[in-house]
Each structure stands twice: as C-alpha cells, then as structure tokens.
Amino acid sequence: MLELRALCMGRGSLRWQHDFKLERGQIMALMGPSGAGKSTLLECLGGFVPPLAGEILLDGRSLQDVRAEDRPVATLFQQHNLFEHISVAHNLRLGFNQGRPSTIQWQRVEAACEHLGVASLLGRLPGELSGGQRQRIGLIRTVLREQPLILLDEPFGALDAEARVVAGDWVRAEIDHGTKMLIFVTHEIDDAQRWANQTLVIGLP
Amino acid sequence: MNIRHSLACAAFALAAGQASAAAADLTVYTYESFISSWGPGPELKTRFEAQCGCTLEFVGVEDGVALLNRVRLEGANTRADVIVGLDDSLIKDVRTHGLVQPHSVDFASIPMVAALAWADDSFVPFDFGYFAFIYDHQKIGAPVDSLAALIDGNARVIYQDPRTSTPGLGLLHWVRAVYGDEAPAAWTRLARHTVTVTSGWSEAYNMFLQGEADYVLSYTTSPAYHIVSDGTDRYRAAHFAEGHVAQVEVAALSAHTDNPALANRFLAFLLSREAQEIIPVTNWMLPVRDDVKLPEAFDRLIRPARIGFSADEIGASRSIWVREWREAVSR
Amino acid sequence: MPGVLAVFVMLAISVAAVLALAVRSDAGVSTALLRERWFWHVLQFSLWQALLSAVLSLVIALPLARALALDPHLRGRAWFLRLCLLCFVMPSLVLITGLVTLFGRSGWITPLLGEGWQLYGLPGILIAHVYLNAPFAIRVLSHRWQSIPVDAWKISAQLGLSGWQRFWLVEWPVLRTALPGVFGFVFLLCFNSFAVVLALGGGPRATTLEVAIYQALKFDFNPPEALFLACMQLVVAGGLFALFSRWGGLQWLVAARAGDAWRPHVGSLAKWCGRALYVAVALFLLMPIVSLLPVAALAGGALPWSEIARASAMSIGFALAAALLAVLLALAALSLWRHFDDALRRRLIEAAALHHLVIPGMVLSVGLYVFLMAWVNWLDWGWIAIVLLNALIALPFVFVQLKPSMFEYDAQYRQLLADLGLQGWRHWRLVLGPFLEPALRRVLAIAFVLALGDFAVFGIFGNPSWHTLPWMIHALAGSYRLDEAAAASLLLLALALGALCLLERERA
C-alpha cells in the first residue's frame, strides 16, 4: 500500500500538500489543470524532486532516504523515455534485471508488443518511430517492470481513440492480475472513469 | 592624421600606442632587449637626437638571428637605415646576401680594444663579450680551470642549444676551436654530465640560479651584473686556460638606406666614448674602446685570451658543426 | 555568404604562407633529411612522448572531469576551471622555473620521490605536458559530462541501471564523441611543444620536430628544409589527428532541457577518489604559480610600471580582438557546416578550421609576412596580422568546442525552426545566440587566453609601439631580470584570470 502523509512539495513559490492512500491492485487517476503540479508529484514519488516535508510510505516503509536509483518505482515520463542511440528492443530490455530480462519476462514483453501493435518495430531505432509508437514502447516497459509502484505521466496522450482504449484496457488488466499500484496523469475524465479506482483532482494552489 | 592611422588608433584606443607611420629620419633595426627601457636604446636615442637634431626610430625583433632574417626577408623593401645587433657569426650571411654597404668609420682614429683586431669595412663592432661558464663561488671553491677539465670532469652543466641560441653557438665554436676534429668525442663526454640543454639563455641561467647546475654557459660579464644590481659577487666566471671564444656585436649600414650620411653618423656615435659608456652597463657586454670609464665591477671580471675562428670560417662551417654536435649528443 | 568567406580566409592564409615559402626555396622541398638517422630519431621521439603525454593527461583528466560534473559538493569548481585555462598563457620560462622549484634538485617535492629521481628526461617532459594539457582535457571533458541531458540520467536512474551499465549507455556515448578529439588535441599540442621539451628533456636526445622547424626557419633560414619538416608534420600529425577524429562521431542521446539539474548518485569510492584527485591536481596546478610569489613580490617594485601598464593594455586589446575574430570565424564556418548534409563537405569545412593546429605557427607567420611583404608595410599593418593569425591559431579550439552545441541544436530544433520560418540575423539573435551563449563564453575565454599568451606571432609582426606583456617578459628575462620577469608573468596570469572571471560571469 502506498501512503502519502502530509507530503509537501514546492516549485518556486508554489506549495502543494497531499494526503492519500492507494491499495495494491488499484489504479489512481491524477487530474488537474496544467501547472497544477501533477508531474511534480510523480517526480517526487520517483525520487527526483525532494519533498519539503511529510512522508511517503510504501507498505509501511518510508521512501524518504531511498535514492531514485533504488526506489521500487517505474516511471513513464511525459517525454524522452527512450535512448535515441540504441534499438527499441534494447530499450525494452533495459527495464528488466539491468538489461537481462528472464525468458518469461521477455515473453510477456513480446506478447504485449503484439497486443499493442508494435511487435514489428523491435529492431528499429526510436527515431524511426511515430510518437504513438514510442509511447506504447515506453508504456510496455514501464508497466511490465517488477517495481510495485508504477507512475505514468500522460501515457495515452499521443494515441488515437482506438489505440487508447486498447492500451488502457491492457494496463487495467495487468494491474488486475498482479499486486501492483499505478498512478496515471490524464486530462480525460473518461480515462479516469474507465480505468481508475480512485481519482485525485489537484487544483491550482 | 591619415585614414589608416586613425583606423589603427580606433582599434587600439585602449593603449596609447601610436603606430609608427610617421617616418623618422633614421630607422634602426635592432633586437628587443637593446631598446627596452632598461637597455641602452632609450638613452642612446635621446643623446643622438640631441646631437643630430633629427628623429630616430628603433624597430626591435626577438634577437640577432631574427634581425638577420628580417632584413634578409625584406630585401630591398626594408625600411632599415642601420642594423644594430648582428653578431660576428652572422656576418658572412649578411655579406653574401648583399644586405649592407661599406661604412665611413675610421677605426685608426679610435682606441679600439686590441683583442678585437677589427678592420672590417662594412661592420662596426659596438660591444663584445667572452663566453664563459659561470659558477657559484659559495658552492664551488676550486672551479675548473680549463675547458678540458670541465668536459672531462663530472660537474653538472647546463648550456644552450646551438640551434636556437647564440651562446649555444658560441660553445660550438669554442669546443671546435679547442678540440678540432676531436670535438664529437668531447661532446659525447660532456653529454654524460649535462643536466639539460635549453632553447634560450634565460631558461638556462634561471635554472642555474635555482641550483640545478654547477656551471652554466653565459658571458664573462655576467658577474658584473650581479655585483652592480644585486650587490653580490658569489657568481663568477671560470677562467679557462685554452682561452675563450668571443661574441662581437656589430652594426652596419643597410644596403638600401636613403640617408647614408646620417646612418654613418649614427655608427660613429655608437663608437663614441659617450655611447660606449652607456652600452656596457645596460647591455652587460664589454666596450670596444680602451678609454672608457666603467663601474668598478668591470675591473673584477676575468680577462681571458681570445681564441676562435674568423667570421668567414664560422659562416662556412656552422651548419656542419651543428650537425656534428647533434649526432654526437643524441647518441 | 559569411561561411564561404570564412572558410576561404582560413584556407587562403595557409596556402599563401606555404606558397610564399615555396617560392623562396629555389630548390623546392628539401628531402635530404629523410636520409639522416637523426631525423627519424626525432620523429620517433616526438611521437612517443606525445603519445605518452596524451595518455597520461587523459588518465588524470577523465576521473576528475567526472567528479567535477557529478559531485555537487566540490568547492571552488568555477575557480578550478579557470585555473585550468591559465596554463595556456603561462610563459614557458615560468612553468620551467615552477617545475624546477617543485621537482628539481632541491625541489619541494623531490625528497618524496626517492633516491634515483631525475627530473630531466622523459619525467620532466611528461610532468610539464600533463601540467600544460591535462587541464584543457579536464575542462572539455567535464563540460561534455555536464552536457549529458538530465532526462538520460533520469531514465537510467528509474530503470535502476548498474554503474557500469549507466556508464556504457549514458556516459560513454557522450564521451566517445569528445574523447578522440581531446586526445588528438593534446597529442598535437605535445607533438608541437618545444621550449619545455628542450629545457626539461635533459638535452637534444629529447627533441621534437618543432625544434627542427624552428632551426630551419629561424637559425638557418632554410625554407626548403622548413617546408619539408612542415609537410612531414602535416602528414604525420595531421594524419593521426584525422584518424582520431574519425572515431568521434557526434551522437544525439536525448533532448536537452534547460533548468532541471538532477544528477545521479555517485558511489562513495568514486566520489572520494574524485575529491582526492581534485585537491591533488589543484595543488599541482597552483604550486608553480605559488612558488613565484616570494620572488615576484620582491621584484614587483622594480618593474617598469608605465611600460607594463601599456603592454598589458596592448595584450588585452590584441587578445580580445583575436578571440572575437576566432569565434566569428568559427560561427561562420559552422553556419556553412550545418547547411550541408553530406559528410564529405562537412569534413572539408572541419579540415579548413582545424588544420591550423598542425601547421606550425612559425611557418604560417613567416609565410604570410613574405607573401604580402611587397604590398604591405608590416610596421604599420602588422597588428592586423597579429590579430588574424592569433585568431587562426585559436580557431581549432573554438570550432571543435562549438560543433557539438551546434549539432545538438540542429538535432533538437531543426524542424521547429523550419516550421517557424526563422532565418538569418533574427534566427541568430532570437534563438541560436541564446542557445549557444554558454558555449560561446567558454570558447571566447579559451581563445582569449591563447592569444594573450602569444609570443611567436608577435615576434614576427610586432612593433615596439605595440609591445605586449609576454614580449616584455621575454625581454626582461633576456637581460638578467629574471625576478622581474617572474613578477610580470604573475601579472599576466592575474590579467588572464580577471578576464576569465568577466567572460564567465553568469548573467543574473
């Protein structure tokens, strides 16, 4: 279970405070206008931005002193999730056991690629992919990783309506089958209603 | 002020530097340290201008060799009226390229130093110095008394590269003069206890002052500087029994001067007692006249016998000797 | 088109210089040296010591550059990086004196080095070359390290990559683009070095080709031999440099974002090694300068101050003009470079901008002097040549450091720019200029110190009414005034440091 206790963050002179809990196997949608600090919250959970005060607890254990490198968190950033100088397959492998996925893990990756329609792209460089294709590759890597907490920053932004539904349903199914927790940022109320167990709406401070 | 002049001034308004566009009556090419504020140049300029009622302009290049190259490069385009600061080892080159013309100085009427035995019709000597190895008297009580003793001993020696510096070239002549065809073997023996060979005089001399060597190649006049300026006589020149090679610095009339009368007058001025008293204490060399009054420090310098080759012999063999040295010490 | 003009100037001056010398050598290029054992020995030694020096410099520079880029707790980083540039203005006399004070017979450090220690020879050359070149490598490499985009660090952090994986995936691709170039630069600088090699090399066994060129051009005035040696240098050193450069293609990692400065965690072993090295190198760089202080303080009063002040102003004027010109030339050449898509034309432009690193400055200066002598009165116009040649000598340093920034800019914004339709002056002023500004300040600084330390070019084109500080130092040292020369050198270093502070001052 993820628990935020009076977590206070800041950017410039702006301040936010969050208190919420997220059970395993559940999805939270994060909504709010641009500039409301949605990405900052994810970065804070990922360990890239230090909080001003408060606590982040994962299964009762504080993440306070855990470095970004060691946090049990998988993040899909809004942009720049792939290294441009290595192939798509190489980029995917990097998510697992430091680039050495087990056979089972890799089979699941391949199955997901098949399901989301990007299986034919594995040999290419990221630069040759469309925005939607890149997003799906990043999504597959992030969701299938072993980390219990998954953070997705606008994961469906570049997808068309049909691909969006396929991808979202796939994510929901992956969470249902496991014990992970997932937080995703979206601007679509439909996304939240269709896939999230709970929704957190952040207003401008 | 013409346009190009004002351009130069605009570009460098920072410094008060005036480009030398305004032609002086007499342009003298020389080497840099001759015209520095502590060199003889400024004083000579003031005195000469007062005498002749003309204007004199110095142009300074890096050193004597650069001076030769400059006039050789410029050929007939040169702006030099007088060239001051070549040395006797370069005379042959200058002559063969026809860069100078005969002067009107009458040496017979001047009490010239006998050791120079000077009678050249194109070149006028204005100072000279003997090459010598300098040592620290407080460290070495009994200095070597001959070149042979230095070469066969094991004292730590620093000298200058004959390919890049005048004293280095002087040592080349010196060893050749003493050893003749045995010179390569002598170089090999010297190499065993040579600390290093520097490209210029100042590096070598500074390393010696820092205590890196027992002996450094310089001039017999070096101790005079330390006596006069530092008030110490710890640095002395070793007096060698075989005799010392001299460097004679000369001046000459450019072949392309358009004012030979004034140029000749400047040469004569360089040999005047007045100028000869200024040059030794600013350029730290010996005067070429016998009747010059100098600070007491000059009386304490060693007075070696002069050996060596004529300017023509040096000019003819220099490159062979350099090659010989290069082979001997690279082994 | 300014790019075409700039490339033309770069090439024309070299061609003119070589032509002028070739015309003066009636016998053509003299190849007699090829048959001399001595020549091969010198060539071999030049290459060997340059290789060793370059490797050693990089071995020291790499971990330190990484520490500078990644360890946020290093104090005095900005000052250290400025200190790194001072080596380029340090008069060789000062460096030699300083190193002798440290490592000489009665040096401060000598007692720690054991019985058999002997500075003169390969150790002296290597110490001096590391002193002169490792700082340059440190500067360039730490900037490359810092240029790794935050997003690349973040992906690798959240993927939980191991230290080695991160190195190979994130750091190495960036380094790989810079390393061969830096190695090539250091190699060439050591290959061309001369006063230091002679003084600390323990004699003419340790001689470089550059000494031979100097001798041929200056002492013997033998243009055929000088041309031959310059050609050899061009072929050997230029060939090697081209080879190194081929390994260093530019690569685009991920887009760079301004602002965010998250840096990954560095292991504590690496961190403490980096810090120890930082202190050690800072001391090594400072000590020769510090050793001058007592001497210089005593001699300071005896300096001819009005002359020194004038010479300082002149030096700054020349150096500033040359640095600006070098940057303008590099920008013009790069604007042409980015205009072309094919590798061949890009390589040609690079060669035009970089080849001055391989052509001896002496050949360039004397050649240009001779070429224009009949038409130009150098006594009046020499200052143009001083500015121009110093700019050309600094150009390779400027070009090679601006190129990656230009490349990244294009990789990121080319399409956006095309879409916005921004072109010409407005594009430079509104977008490209601000993007390049940090890089421009850096290269301006390095070009400035390079030109500030110039001695060789001024030696050919100088005129007593424009005396520069290095020239005065030379004159002082040449007439027994070694202490005053030390004081003036210290002033020169202080001037350089002051200028660097001004140039690198961040805009608030």
Side-chain angles (χ1 to χ4, degrees), chain A residues 70-89:
Chain A
D70 303 329
R71 289 204 181 191
V73 175
T75 309
L76 181 69
F77 299 111
Q78 209 168 342
Q79 289 166 0
H80 314 311
N81 288 286
L82 306 178
F83 288 109
E84 302 289 335
H85 59 299
I86 54 179
S87 72
V88 168

Side-chain angles (χ1 to χ4, degrees), chain C residues 67-87:
Chain C
L68 281 168
L70 299 187
D71 187 344
H73 301 296
L74 288 186
R75 286 182 188 270
R77 186 195 325 251
W79 287 102
F80 179 83
L81 288 174
R82 281 174 206 143
L83 182 63
C84 281
L85 273 189
L86 286 192
C87 305

